[in-house]
Amino acid sequence: MNPFKYGCTVNGDFFCPRPALERELASRIESGQNVVMQGDRRTGKTSLVLETVRHMKSIALFHADFLCVRDQADVCRRLVAALARLEDSESWITKTIRMLAHLRPTVSIDPSSGTPTVTVDSRVAAEPATLDTVLDVLLAQTKRRRTCVLLDEFQDILDIDDGERTLAVLRSRIQLDSNTPYIFLGSIRNKMAEIFFKYSSPFYHSTAAFKVGNIDADEFFAFIRGRFATGKRKLTRQMFDAIARTARDTPGFIQELCDALWQMSSGGTTFEESDIQEALAIIFAREHDHFTFAIKQLTAQQTRVLRTIAERGGKEIYSGAFLDAAQVFSAASVKKAVAKLERENIIYNYDGEYRFGSPFFCEWLLRR
Ligand SMILES: Nc1ncnc2c1ncn2[C@@H]1O[C@H](COP(=O)(O)OP(=O)(O)O)[C@@H](O)[C@H]1O
Ligand SMILES: [Mg+2]
């Protein structure tokens, strides 16, 4: 069986323990403190919280994900869906439906998991008061049972039309619920900072900050080597370091590359650095449609800016040398191109440096 997973959360044997982080997080949850947790995409934020709560006795987990949320109605729908996932005992579903009765909820069974899902009428979900109602139900839950409330990819709420107002409503409700631990996860640093650390923001000073970086190299090497060993593949430290370099040390990308290495090998293999090229080719083939689609949405100029970032790195992108290399006339044009690339989630700003969301996309572009 393939011992690697990527692009989803991991648990159990697929999860490399992070004892220090798990302990700290558990103690905050235990004491009912709110936490804002920031880390790049695929560093393992969501998995860390899920695994930590799973090991804690008698605490339920409410998990709503706001990745690419469209509007306030969509915020409500995601909260309702998370409420319905909390417990699939019939009585709770019945009760939730009663509390949400005027939102005209419908219950359906998710065909893949077999669990019931509750959704609300989209016109009703769009009404401003609906958010309050849904949060009332959440409050009723946290009173009824000790619950950890996980609000994932929280920064995306800022992007919706009435984002500020939605955040203000959330904040006022969360203040009423001071014994419940709320965990806000975010992968876009500047946006999370805007929500939590700006004076004007209603979330200012409300939570403890918690940073999740990449997994310690020694620990992750031992874990990954162990995973390969389940299929009698051998991984040297040198090879692991080469994998980590290619995958920008990010757990999710390391696992993706290992998954490709696993596919191309059989029991008894000892990997060599040259295998990485073949593994990348597997990833490029899998991602071909996705990568070409991303490029097709860009103008020629935006593509040149992107390619130049791939070639030269994303640091001094307004310098004369960068403009020359990208064949762009003005810094203003670079700025516009970069804004588009950020909006499309192709690149992101990391402390003033532009980085590719996916190191594999960067490699793919360089080879074209
Ligand atoms: N503790 C871990 N052990 C092993 N792999 C991990 C771990 N955390 C994350 N990963 C890898 O990263 C991927 C993304 O994890 P996820 O928790 O969704 O990250 P995030 O929420 O930060 O985007 C997983 O599919 C897995 O490949
Ligand atoms: Mg996540």
Side-chain angles (χ1 to χ4, degrees), residues 15-29 35 37 44 48-49 51-52 55-56 209-216 219:
F15 180 87
C16 171
R18 310 178 80 168
L21 287 174
E22 288 170 61
R23 252 197 319 273
E24 187 184 341
L25 184 60
S27 88
R28 302 212 186 245
I29 293 172
V35 171
M37 190 187 287
L48 175 70
V49 179
E51 196 65 0
T52 303
H55 288 141
M56 296 178 70
F210 197 97
K211 239 177 123 169
V212 177
N214 295 323
I215 300 174
D216 173 78
E219 282 165 29

Side-chain angles (χ1 to χ4, degrees), residues 45-46 152-153:
K45 301 175 295 299
T46 307
D152 209 340
E153 300 292 354

Side-chain angles (χ1 to χ4, degrees), residues 160-351:
I160 65 176
D161 275 344
D162 37 8
E164 301 260 352
R165 204 196 69 85
T166 304
L167 289 172
V169 174
L170 279 167
R171 156 76 190 213
S172 64
R173 287 312 167 106
I174 291 167
Q175 272 183 326
L176 294 177
D177 197 11
S178 56
N179 294 323
T180 299
Y182 281 77
I183 302 181
F184 307 90
L185 296 193
S187 49
I188 304 182
R189 304 210 305 166
N190 42 351
K191 285 197 203 153
M192 287 299 274
E194 201 173 319
I195 297 175
F196 288 94
F197 307 117
K198 240 173 64 173
Y199 282 91
S200 60
S201 158
F203 280 93
Y204 182 62
H205 265 172
S206 62
T207 51
F210 197 97
K211 239 177 123 169
V212 177
N214 295 323
I215 300 174
D216 173 78
D218 293 339
E219 282 165 29
F220 210 34
F221 167 57
F223 171 82
I224 295 284
R225 187 182 50 188
R227 301 307 283 162
F228 275 122
T230 62
K232 305 213 166 13
R233 276 89 157 160
K234 269 184 84 174
L235 182 76
T236 62
R237 178 62 194 251
Q238 197 183 353
M239 179 64 183
F240 174 79
D241 290 341
I243 293 170
R245 254 194 320 279
T246 312
R248 216 174 46 208
D249 300 317
T250 311
F253 294 118
I254 291 177
Q255 287 237 33
E256 186 169 356
L257 199 51
C258 289
D259 172 84
L261 285 162
W262 174 272
Q263 285 218 339
M264 58 186 256
S265 59
S266 50
T269 304
T270 301
F271 294 109
E272 287 170 17
E273 280 188 44
S274 56
D275 293 333
I276 288 183
Q277 294 311 316
E278 195 182 323
L280 280 175
I282 293 175
I283 293 175
F284 296 157
R286 276 184 202 154
E287 297 287 328
H288 178 269
D289 290 352
H290 180 209
F291 288 171
T292 7
F293 178 78
I295 288 292
K296 274 199 185 130
Q297 297 188 80
L298 305 177
T299 64
Q301 179 154 293
Q302 289 158 357
T303 307
R304 288 202 305 278
V305 168
L306 184 64
R307 177 183 285 279
T308 311
I309 292 174
E311 285 163 0
R312 303 174 46 101
K315 273 182 185 163
E316 294 159 357
I317 61 165
Y318 303 118
S319 68
F322 188 98
L323 296 188
D324 285 348
Q327 297 171 284
V328 177
F329 288 116
S330 69
S333 306
V334 172
K335 200 168 179 179
K336 257 175 78 180
V338 160
K340 163 80 174 171
L341 296 168
E342 259 191 300
R343 259 200 319 281
E344 295 296 330
N345 282 325
I346 296 173
I347 58 172
Y348 66 98
N349 189 318
Y350 184 91
D351 272 351

